[in-house]
Structures are given as structure tokens and as C-alpha cells.
Amino acid sequence: MVVSTQNVIRVGFVPEHFSSPLHMAVEQGFFEKEGVVVERICCPSGTGEMTAKLIDGSLDVAIALTEGLLAGIAKGHDAYKMIGTYVVSPLCWAISVGQTSQHANRKSLRNGTIGISRMGSGSHIIPYVMAEKEGWLQKSTTGSDVIGHTNKTSPFQFKVLNTFENMRNSVNDGSSDAFLWEKFTTKPYHDSNEVRSVDTITPPWPAFMIAASTSTTRFANSTQRQATLARFLSALSSATEHFVNPDNYEESITFVQNKMSYTRQDVEDWFSGVRYPNAGCAAVDRESLTTCARILLEAGVIQKDQEADVKEKLDTKYVDAQVAQLV
């Protein structure tokens, strides 16, 4: 049977436990029931890789970090808009250093070299949130402002390393001082003593949003695009609801264990704190995005006019109001 490309959605995801409901939706037929075929595209470099693929047309949808998606649009990327929320709870980032590193806590990282996957990724943005909390943005005397701002001095040098493995290797060979990555994804490498955790940081906004390409080239027309994306979100909502249903607890825990090879205790610890949307994935919270923009401004990631742009054009430039419900 030949499947029309108008019903196939190429979805970018990170190979982490958060993606379990997406995999469940594919493997247990949630998308099939809605008449949508999903091609999963693994993006191990994270949000920066996915936004690049949305821009070059190799993804239709990305499940990516809120701050990366928002910052990308604020900086002028118009190839995608946000269409929903995937994970409501914020992401907890582990700050990791090499096993023999002299760094004992995050306070010694000012003016250091941070390993990142890509520019514009969460691993690139969240260090600025850390810097804002520590008051380093004005105090720094060295560092390279890779974001290109002139109103704040960067408290870090950045080293683009592309993959999680390369970031771990870099802190151990001394070419970077630290990297930031999701806590439970990093935990096995803390447990094995490959790298060492010195702290965590949690930004105050939903961890993962859903973005879709604004292009209609893979659809018959804009109406076809909207309808297909709506069916995609409906199926994903059903899968997330199934995943967190207490009646399915054992099934969900086992599913994550089998996908990620985590210990049961680690899965249970993560599961106890994660929150997926109660009202379905098509809702986007206005206050969460404006809060994110404000902190990105304070952290030096976006500029004042870009923060104002988020507030003024949230329902036209940033969120696809024909697909998502802005609440």
C-alpha cells in the first residue's frame, strides 16, 4: 500500500525518556487511528539540530525545547511556528564536569568553556540562565559573546561538539570545563563515574513544545496541512494521556525501561515528577512563553526588541493559532 506524503509527518525527537509517548503513539497505533503516518527522525544533537532541519525542510514537526524554539523565532527564523505543548513540567539540567576536574560547583565556571551541541540549542541557552542567576552577565571580564549581542558581556566561551558523547569526552580531555544536559539522561554517566555532577538548574517554563514547519509543500494546501497537524496532535494527546494514566503505570514504566535501558528506580523517579498536558497537546500557555522570553532577555539570549516582539506577535508570528489553542 502506497501512503500519500500528505498524511506522512516527519517528526524530530531527542533520544531520551521524554520521547516515550511519541514512540508509544507510533507502536501502539494511536497515529494510525487518526489516519496519520509518522516517520520518526532521531536528532541526538537536540533542539539546535531540529530547528535547523525545520528550516531546511527535512522535518515537518519537531518536539523540542521551549527556549530554543522561542529564541529561534525571535531571532528571525520564520520557517516554523509552535503548535502545541508536549511536556508541561520544566526540564532539570545537570551541570557536569570531568571526573578529575578542579570544578567543585558551578560558581567556578564563570569565564570557563562550556561544551554545547549546537548554537541555539538548550545546552547553549541554559548556561545563560545559570549566569543570570549567579549575576555573572555584567561581572564577566572575558568570554566570547557567540550570540552576537553588544549590550552584555558573555560569561563563557562555547565549544560546539555536536553530540552528547563528544561533550562527555570534552570535559574529560580538558577541552571544555562543563556541559549542561538533561538530568536523567546524564545520570547513568554520573553513576558510572564517567563524568561528575556539580549542580542542577531548572528554568521556569515547560520543557518541550511542539513546532511545525510553516511550509505547505508537502500538503495539498494549507487546509490539508492544518487538518493533518490537528490529527497528529489528537493522536499524540491520546498517547500522553494513556502514558500517564495510573492504570497503565506498570506498562509505562516498563516501556521506558525497555527503550532507554535505565534502572527501574531512575524511571520511577523521573516519572514521579514529569507532567504531560492535562488538556491535550494542542494548548499553548501564553504566560509560559512570555516568562521564557523575559528570562531569555535577562540572560542575554535575546534583545529587548525581540522580547517585545514575543509579547506583541505571540499569536501570529510565534504560535500557529490555526492549529494550536493559545490559553
Side-chain angles (χ1 to χ4, degrees):
M1 174 180 172
V2 177
V3 179
S4 169
T5 58
Q6 294 173 14
N7 289 320
V8 177
I9 299 181
R10 301 165 300 173
V11 180
F13 70 94
V14 288
E16 296 176 1
H17 39 289
F18 291 99
S19 298
S20 296
L22 171 68
H23 298 310
M24 186 175 281
V26 173
E27 294 165 22
Q28 297 187 10
F30 286 90
F31 289 122
E32 185 178 0
K33 290 176 184 176
E34 290 286 349
V36 175
V37 177
V38 166
E39 178 187 355
R40 289 168 287 182
I41 308 294
C42 183
C43 298
S45 294
T47 297
E49 179 180 357
M50 283 186 274
T51 55
K53 288 181 181 295
L54 284 169
I55 292 166
D56 70 22
S58 55
L59 283 182
D60 302 308
V61 169
I63 298 175
L65 294 174
T66 299
E67 60 270 22
L69 292 173
L70 187 67
I73 300 173
K75 290 173 181 297
H77 296 313
D78 60 359
Y80 64 88
K81 292 182 180 181
M82 286 175 273
I83 62 168
T85 304
Y86 182 64
V87 174
V88 176
S89 49
L91 197 68
C92 183
W93 293 78
I95 305 167
S96 300
V97 300
Q99 192 53 235
T100 61
S101 169
Q102 64 180 346
H103 296 289
N105 55 59
R106 73 189 192 189
K107 294 185 181 299
S108 64
L109 294 173
R110 179 162 62 105
N111 295 329
T113 298
I114 305 297
I116 65 174
S117 58
R118 291 187 181 211
M119 298 299 182
S121 66
S123 61
H124 174 213
I125 291 171
I126 297 301
Y128 280 91
V129 180
M130 176 175 69
E132 189 273 333
K133 289 180 180 292
E134 294 293 335
W136 296 341
L137 292 174
Q138 300 297 348
K139 295 178 182 178
S140 180
T141 57
T142 63
S144 173
D145 190 351
V146 294
I147 299 179
H149 293 166
T150 58
N151 60 326
K152 290 184 183 292
T153 303
S154 175
F156 308 111
Q157 300 280 347
F158 289 98
K159 185 178 181 66
V160 177
L161 297 165
N162 298 307
T163 69
F164 183 36
E165 181 181 7
N166 288 345
M167 286 188 277
R168 300 195 309 271
N169 291 338
S170 182
V171 293
N172 281 318
D173 67 22
S175 58
S176 67
D177 292 290
F179 69 88
L180 280 70
W181 209 253
E182 195 275 329
K183 175 183 175 181
F184 284 98
T185 306
T186 318
K187 189 176 182 297
Y189 303 96
H190 294 155
D191 292 344
S192 69
N193 295 320
E194 180 178 333
V195 294
R196 179 164 51 85
S197 174
V198 294
D199 210 338
T200 60
I201 188 165
T202 303
W205 53 71
F208 289 93
M209 303 291 283
I210 306 164
S213 168
T214 54
S215 172
T216 60
T217 56
R218 285 175 51 80
F219 303 94
N221 49 50
S222 60
T223 301
Q224 174 72 28
R225 173 185 174 275
Q226 292 167 27
T228 303
L229 291 175
R231 292 197 303 274
F232 168 82
L233 290 171
S234 177
L236 189 61
S237 298
S238 296
T240 57
E241 181 180 348
H242 179 90
F243 184 71
V244 299
N245 188 321
D247 292 341
N248 303 322
Y249 179 82
E250 189 62 35
E251 176 194 356
S252 296
I253 295 296
T254 302
F255 189 90
V256 178
Q257 276 190 280
N258 291 340
K259 282 288 179 187
M260 302 304 304
S261 300
Y262 289 175
T263 68
R264 182 180 179 90
Q265 187 61 58
D266 283 350
V267 176
E268 290 180 341
D269 288 347
W270 167 73
F271 198 83
S272 68
V274 72
R275 289 186 295 117
Y276 288 87
N278 291 328
C281 293
V284 174
D285 184 71
R286 180 187 299 271
E287 184 177 357
S288 293
L289 293 183
T290 55
T291 297
C292 182
R294 176 179 59 80
I295 294 179
L296 292 180
L297 171 66
E298 292 174 356
V301 177
I302 63 174
Q303 297 180 351
K304 184 64 178 177
D305 61 335
Q306 294 168 331
E307 186 217 10
D309 190 64
V310 173
K311 293 179 179 178
E312 294 169 7
K313 301 177 182 178
L314 193 61
D315 57 350
T316 55
K317 180 178 177 180
Y318 293 82
V319 176
D320 189 337
Q322 295 180 316
V323 179
Q325 179 185 5
L326 195 60
V327 295

